[in-house]
């Protein structure tokens, strides 16, 4: 299967600072990447769809100025949580592929990033 | 609205069989996925059903009934390593994944 590499795996930051999470496709070119957030004991929630060379598409209720997404190349998408607050503490996961994409099969996920804002 | 329902937690014994149910309501339907997720890790693919019936893959099987909006994941010969959360995800008419909250499966010796 496709390999999606995400880092860091975990990060602790102070309230008010920014954190960047990287998601790389190692053996394929990703036109589209998906960014999810998962709170404990809750389902994966799609935050935004990252499109190479164009602006990301954000889901309703997700602040695009707070969660900055950059997809400058076919192998790298980044999510920056700006001015992080404790309520942003969550598990962030990127994924590639899945129904309706250029790889219309299973979705492949990065390892996830556990963000803790103190 | 769109909704995926699955039990929050289940307990089973090593070597036994367990069935995890999932009911879904989506705007249109383009299939249903099951993923396994160990704590603190990303989900990994288990199965995808788009037609009615049972699909078997080793110790894991998945069933779909589109008329009932129902699916289940069947795990046989349970092993301790099967302790994880199992996520059900429906695919709507826009090909968006609608995720359930997951079923935490606890395996006891």
């Amino acid at each position: 299967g496709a390999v999606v590499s995400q880092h860091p795996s975990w990060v602790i930051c102070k309230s008010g600072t920014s954190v960047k999470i990287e998601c790389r496709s190692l053996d394929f070119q990703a036109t589209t990447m998906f960014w999810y957030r998962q709170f404990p004991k809750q389902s994966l929630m799609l935050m935004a769809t990252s499109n190479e060379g164009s602006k990301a598409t954000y889901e309703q209720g997700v602040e695009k100025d707070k969660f900055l997404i950059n997809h400058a190349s076919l192998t790298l998408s980044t999510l920056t949580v700006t001015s992080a607050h404790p309520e942003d503490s969550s598990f962030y996961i990127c994924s590639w592929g899945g129904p309706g994409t250029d790889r219309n099969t299973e979705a492949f996920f990065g390892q996830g990033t556990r963000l803790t804002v103190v | 609205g769109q909704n995926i329902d699955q039990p929050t937690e289940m307990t089973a014994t090593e070597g036994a069989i367990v069935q995890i149910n999932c009911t879904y309501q989506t705007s249109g339907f383009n299939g249903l996925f099951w993923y396994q997720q160990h704590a603190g890790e990303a989900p990994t693919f288990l199965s995808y059903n788009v037609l009615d019936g049972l699909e078997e893959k080793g110790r894991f099987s998945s069933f779909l009934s589109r008329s009932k909006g129902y699916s289940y994941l069947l795990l046989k010969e349970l092993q301790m390593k099967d302790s994880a959360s199992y996520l059900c995800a429906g695919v709507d008419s826009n090909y968006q994944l609608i995720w359930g909250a997951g079923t935490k499966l606890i395996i006891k010796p």
Side-chain angles (χ1 to χ4, degrees):
Chain A
V3 179
V4 180
S5 177
Q6 180 177 347
H7 77 91
S9 299
W10 59 271
V11 59
I12 301 174
C13 71
K14 291 185 178 181
S15 186
T17 60
S18 295
V19 173
K20 180 186 283 188
I21 302 170
E22 292 189 349
C23 190
R24 293 181 184 274
S25 55
L26 299 185
D27 54 1
F28 61 93
Q29 293 184 327
T31 307
T32 303
M33 298 283 273
F34 301 97
W35 286 96
Y36 288 90
R37 179 169 54 184
Q38 186 180 34
F39 291 106
K41 298 185 179 181
Q42 295 188 23
S43 62
L44 288 165
M45 296 298 296
L46 181 64
M47 298 176 66
T49 302
S50 169
N51 303 299
E52 187 269 335
S54 64
K55 292 183 179 180
T57 303
Y58 289 82
E59 296 300 305
Q60 191 174 5
V62 178
E63 301 174 59
K64 61 180 180 181
D65 293 330
K66 179 172 181 63
F67 299 98
L68 301 179
I69 290 175
N70 184 282
H71 195 151
S73 77
L74 288 171
T75 59
L76 176 64
S77 176
T78 62
L79 168 68
T80 301
V81 183
T82 62
S83 187
H85 291 284
E87 56 264 32
D88 297 324
S89 298
S90 186
F91 192 56
Y92 293 86
I93 312 175
C94 63
S95 80
W96 174 76
T101 70
D102 51 354
R103 186 182 169 96
N104 190 24
T105 53
E106 63 186 275
F108 294 95
F109 290 86
Q111 299 93 325
T113 299
R114 171 73 60 192
L115 171 63
T116 302
V117 184
V118 298
Chain B
Q2 305 196 95
N3 195 49
I4 303 287
D5 283 320
Q6 54 182 130
T8 304
E9 187 174 297
M10 298 182 70
T11 302
T13 305
E14 189 177 15
I17 299 173
V18 71
Q19 177 175 311
I20 303 174
N21 297 322
C22 170
T23 57
Y24 64 88
Q25 289 179 306
T26 56
S27 301
F29 180 74
N30 281 297
L32 188 134
F33 285 89
W34 283 96
Y35 279 82
Q36 181 191 60
Q37 185 180 28
H38 286 98
E41 299 181 11
T44 55
F45 172 81
L46 290 178
S47 67
Y48 173 63
N49 294 65
V50 67
L51 299 176
D52 289 348
L54 182 69
E55 293 206 7
E56 299 183 69
K57 193 183 295 184
R59 295 190 297 115
F60 292 9
S61 302
S62 57
F63 172 84
L64 176 68
S65 169
R66 287 174 297 174
S67 62
K68 295 181 179 178
Y70 166 70
S71 174
Y72 68 72
L73 180 69
L74 190 71
L75 294 77
K76 303 176 184 176
E77 301 171 16
L78 287 170
Q79 302 175 9
M80 298 303 292
K81 66 178 183 179
D82 297 330
S83 293
S85 286
Y86 291 85
L87 309 178
C88 173
V91 185
D92 69 10
S93 58
N94 294 318
Y95 294 97
Q96 183 159 325
L97 288 167
I98 310 299
W99 294 88
T103 298
K104 182 178 181 180
L105 178 62
I106 300 169
I107 309 295
K108 295 185 175 181

